[in-house]
Amino acid sequence: MKPTAFVSAIAGPLLCAALVLAPCPEGLTSAGQSALAVLSLCVVWWLFTPVALPVTSLVGLALLPVLGALPAAEALAMFGNQAVFFVIGVFLVAVVMYRTGLSSRLTLVGLRRFSGSENALCYGVMLLSWAMCCVIVSHAVAAIMLPVVLELIRTLDLSPRSRTARRLLLSMAWGTVAGSNLTLLSSARATLALELYDNYRSASGMDPDPIGFVAYMAGSAPVSLASMLVGLAVLRIALPPEGINIAPALERLDQKVKDLGPLSGQEKLTGITVLAMVATMVVAGPSWLGIVALVFSGALFLFQVLSWEDAEREVNWGVALMYGGAIAIGGALYRTGATAWLASTLLPDQVGPTGALLLVGLMSAAFTEVVSNAAVIAVVLPVALPLGAEAGLDGHTLAWTVPLSAGFAFVLPTSTPAMAMVFGTGYLRIRDTLPGLVVTLLSLGALLMLSRYLWPLLGLAAGSHG
Amino acid sequence: MSVRRILIAVSTSRYSRKLVGLAIREAEQFREAGDTVEIDVLTVIEEEALARAAASVGDSGLLGLEAQEQVLATLGAEHNRMARKRVAQVEVAAAQRGFEVVRYEAQGDFVDLVLARAEALHADVILLSRAERPFISRILFGSVADKVARLARRDGLGRVVIQDT
């Protein structure tokens, strides 16, 4: 175990114990104090990962009844929410797209179509990585695109200091990072955020107003597109073309497309099933998302395009534990009034809705550089929602803002698997993180602008900025 | 006349063409002094860094074992390719000046492997590259090249020359 992990393994429980044993502050219930103690342990462990992320979620879930935050039955019931089943469906779709070769075909054919020059090749890699995230979870897109991009670099015989090599790799990573904000299928964190938001409304006595597939995409896709375009422009300026001859890469792509042969029956079946699933999610509405995901996941097995053995190997089933536990911990924080107390204590009086939104956006974007973005949602959103209410901000706005800004992981290799992969190639150095900082700040700016002007226009949020 | 050994230690992220030029200059100085020179190139595949990238696919990407293995294999293949390419560059430059090159590849921790190889060879000079960073940054975040130099000095493993890139 690394020294930081070892220290955090001890510090987490100590902090938790200290909060439980401390005198209860005015305005906070003892159950709320216990819920905050559980959160403190989870924050430390999610940040320094002395144990895997799903284990932290499970420990948090178990501590809720042990420390008296919630009765055991209530805590465990929150674990079985529809977001968990939706996320399982999201990952199974990614697996089947990969297993049948449909994702590789889409990648190669799309890339060949876009590529005409060095610039176009780089744009094509980013655009395609971004677009594939429409239906495939972004981390899987990065894993699919990495060998393709490295093969292009190999074919062009680019050196590690080559601007084009670095631009291609960052195009792939930033394309998937921006694409992770595209739809509910692009990443699991949006579903987690929406479930936490539903729990918050219900705990606060508000009428249910769930956000569905189309509504979420209407708010998220313009932000995702803006991030992707900013990424394209920043890379074009920071790593201008070297004037290399890309003909060998095009020949290689042609050969690979030829090697794929005609579309197989399994690929067709997969494509139809996934499209039908998306269409059903659109029609069925928000409260059916988890059920639709389960039904179509079952269909993938029934049609024999996915076997259970493949699913066992290719899905990290800890995903269900991670999300189930995080939702239960978030729910406990709302139900005990812990986060409402925290928000009223933390928020300075002079902060208005815009200030609160900026604060939450910056906090989420900063945390996501060092912590798993699912953990960012689990920690930031439960505090942000009551904080936003205190500042006069519409809750719907935050239900988009937190997962979207937690998706702006453009800077460090620790931020997201796509960035870890491209830095792992050895082509990028620490100074290559600077353009990512520019993209993050500009994306945050675009998010604030769109939340203020576009979302109210689309009827997605009240737009109560000051 | 004695045999002088120059060890060039490289990895995918620790290399520069200037390092090759530096090695040739060092070798020529030894030759002018009447010594026989052998240039040893140690290429380190830093598997811990590769494994870390692959593990992130499972830990925070929550993808399964196959995706992690595929990422590890892809990164490993790329690092091996770069290693071969770099050794070839050293061989070409050395052959032009009539020096012999011995190549050696290893997987593991860069510092440990460089020190072990220097000791086994009784290297006279150890050449390393280092990304140019402010001194304060190296103090705060550490530098692998500086660590090799410090430990080599402690263990009397030859003169360490660091080339900033």
Side-chain angles (χ1 to χ4, degrees):
Chain A
M1 193 185 271
K2 285 182 184 170
T4 48
F6 180 73
V7 170
S8 67
I10 297 166
L14 282 180
L15 182 62
C16 177
L19 286 176
V20 170
L21 297 173
C24 190
E26 201 183 322
L28 181 66
T29 61
S30 66
Q33 187 179 12
S34 298
L36 282 177
V38 174
L39 179 70
S40 69
L41 181 141
C42 292
V43 169
V44 173
W45 280 13
W46 274 326
L47 189 61
F48 298 103
T49 55
V51 293
L53 297 176
V55 177
T56 301
S57 284
L58 285 184
V59 170
L61 177 68
L63 283 177
L64 291 175
V66 169
L67 298 180
L70 281 182
E74 207 176 319
L76 295 176
M78 281 196 285
F79 187 89
N81 58 77
Q82 74 149 343
V84 172
F85 298 104
F86 179 78
V87 167
I88 289 172
V90 166
F91 278 82
L92 286 174
V93 165
V95 169
V96 81
M97 293 283 283
Y98 169 73
R99 291 297 298 179
T100 57
L102 186 58
S103 54
S104 299
R105 181 182 294 278
L106 291 172
T107 307
L108 293 169
V109 172
L111 202 52
R112 180 61 189 93
R113 186 150 295 186
F114 283 117
S115 312
S117 65
E118 186 184 336
N119 259 334
L121 185 66
C122 296
Y123 293 151
V125 167
M126 191 184 279
L127 198 61
L128 204 67
S129 305
W130 176 79
M132 295 255 290
C133 294
C134 243
V135 287
I136 307 175
V137 66
S138 62
H139 308 312
V141 174
I144 292 162
M145 289 294 291
L146 181 70
V148 177
V149 172
L150 284 177
E151 189 156 358
L152 290 174
I153 290 171
R154 249 192 322 271
T155 310
L156 294 171
D157 199 25
L158 302 175
S159 76
R161 298 280 70 80
S162 153
R163 287 198 304 267
T164 308
R166 287 182 286 152
R167 189 172 165 196
L168 281 167
L169 286 165
L170 282 175
S171 295
M172 184 280 278
W174 289 2
T176 58
V177 170
S180 72
N181 279 334
L182 203 44
T183 73
L184 285 180
L185 293 174
S186 312
S187 81
R189 68 173 174 275
T191 317
L192 174 62
L194 297 187
E195 188 67 30
L196 286 170
Y197 179 52
D198 282 348
N199 281 349
Y200 165 74
R201 288 186 72 92
S202 133
S204 313
M206 289 185 250
D207 291 333
D209 187 9
I211 298 167
F213 192 91
V214 176
Y216 184 80
M217 192 177 163
S220 66
V223 177
S224 173
L225 179 67
S227 294
M228 194 269 290
L229 293 175
V230 166
L232 278 181
V234 168
L235 278 183
R236 173 69 179 76
I237 295 164
L239 299 167
E242 295 174 298
I244 55 169
N245 172 23
I246 64 153
L250 300 185
E251 279 170 29
R252 187 82 192 107
L253 283 173
D254 282 337
Q255 185 56 46
K256 286 187 81 77
V257 171
K258 208 173 149 189
D259 291 346
L260 287 172
L263 201 65
S264 71
Q266 285 217 324
E267 286 175 273
K268 284 178 194 164
L269 204 51
T270 300
I272 291 166
T273 311
V274 172
L275 286 177
M277 183 180 85
V278 173
T280 313
M281 281 174 178
V282 170
V283 175
S287 52
W288 287 87
L289 287 178
I291 301 298
V292 174
L294 280 185
V295 167
F296 280 88
S297 300
L300 293 171
F301 289 102
L302 187 66
F303 297 155
Q304 306 280 303
V305 288
L306 182 62
S307 69
W308 181 246
E309 289 71 29
D310 288 339
E312 274 186 319
R313 263 187 71 71
E314 295 186 28
V315 173
N316 181 344
W317 292 95
V319 69
L321 307 179
M322 164 77 200
Y323 282 78
I327 289 166
I329 294 161
L333 291 166
Y334 299 135
R335 289 184 193 197
T336 57
T339 46
W341 173 83
L342 195 64
S344 62
T345 309
L346 291 180
L347 189 71
D349 290 340
Q350 64 273 27
V351 173
T354 306
L357 196 66
L358 184 64
L359 184 72
V360 167
L362 277 172
M363 205 159 66
S364 306
F367 278 174
T368 208
E369 292 298 336
V370 284
V371 189
S372 152
N373 49 41
V376 174
I377 304 294
V379 172
V380 174
L381 195 63
V383 181
L385 284 166
L387 189 142
E390 192 86 8
L393 192 62
D394 173 40
H396 265 49
T397 305
L398 284 168
W400 269 280
T401 301
V402 176
L404 290 175
S405 38
F408 296 151
F410 293 100
V411 187
L412 297 179
T414 47
S415 60
T416 188
M419 294 297 284
M421 281 181 222
V422 295
F423 274 88
T425 60
Y427 283 78
L428 298 164
R429 294 194 175 176
I430 281 300
R431 61 170 169 255
D432 293 312
T433 57
L434 281 179
L437 190 61
V438 176
V439 179
T440 300
L441 293 175
L442 291 175
S443 297
L444 266 175
L447 169 62
L448 290 179
M449 295 297 284
L450 289 166
S451 69
R452 177 158 196 165
Y453 298 109
L454 182 71
W455 294 354
L457 206 65
L458 297 174
L460 300 174
S464 54
H465 293 238
Chain B
M1 190 176 82
S2 58
V3 178
R4 297 290 193 166
R5 292 191 169 85
I6 297 172
L7 174 64
I8 308 177
V10 299
S11 74
T12 308
S13 56
R14 296 174 223 286
Y15 175 82
S16 82
R17 278 179 182 271
K18 289 182 201 163
L19 201 60
V20 183
L22 188 63
I24 300 295
R25 280 199 299 280
E26 289 279 344
E28 282 177 340
Q29 279 174 17
F30 282 132
R31 189 157 63 186
E32 280 164 17
D35 295 327
T36 304
V37 184
E38 180 183 292
I39 298 176
D40 284 79
V41 185
L42 168 66
T43 309
V44 179
I45 308 293
E46 290 169 282
E47 60 186 4
E48 198 189 328
L50 305 188
R52 212 168 30 240
S56 79
V57 175
D59 293 342
S60 57
L62 296 166
L63 297 177
L65 288 174
E66 194 151 319
Q68 295 170 49
E69 284 165 10
Q70 186 218 308
V71 168
L72 189 60
T74 307
L75 292 177
E78 186 59 22
H79 280 238
N80 279 320
R81 186 184 77 87
M82 291 313 301
R84 285 193 296 274
K85 204 171 162 175
R86 281 162 177 185
V87 172
Q89 282 172 356
V90 178
E91 282 176 336
V92 169
Q96 284 170 352
R97 308 295 176 100
F99 293 112
E100 187 190 349
V101 172
V102 178
R103 59 164 80 184
Y104 183 78
E105 279 183 28
Q107 289 197 349
D109 179 71
F110 187 82
V111 176
D112 292 345
L113 289 168
V114 174
L115 294 174
R117 188 69 185 150
E119 190 175 10
L121 282 173
H122 301 293
D124 294 283
V125 184
I126 305 168
L127 298 177
L128 303 164
S129 72
R130 173 178 64 193
E132 202 164 8
R133 285 192 285 153
F135 178 70
I136 190 73
S137 160
R138 293 211 303 271
I139 293 291
L140 287 174
F141 303 111
S143 156
V144 168
D146 289 346
K147 189 174 176 186
V148 172
R150 195 175 63 246
L151 294 177
R153 205 164 35 240
R154 185 195 67 186
D155 300 342
L157 295 177
R159 181 165 56 93
V160 176
V161 180
I162 298 174
Q163 171 71 59
D164 282 319
T165 59

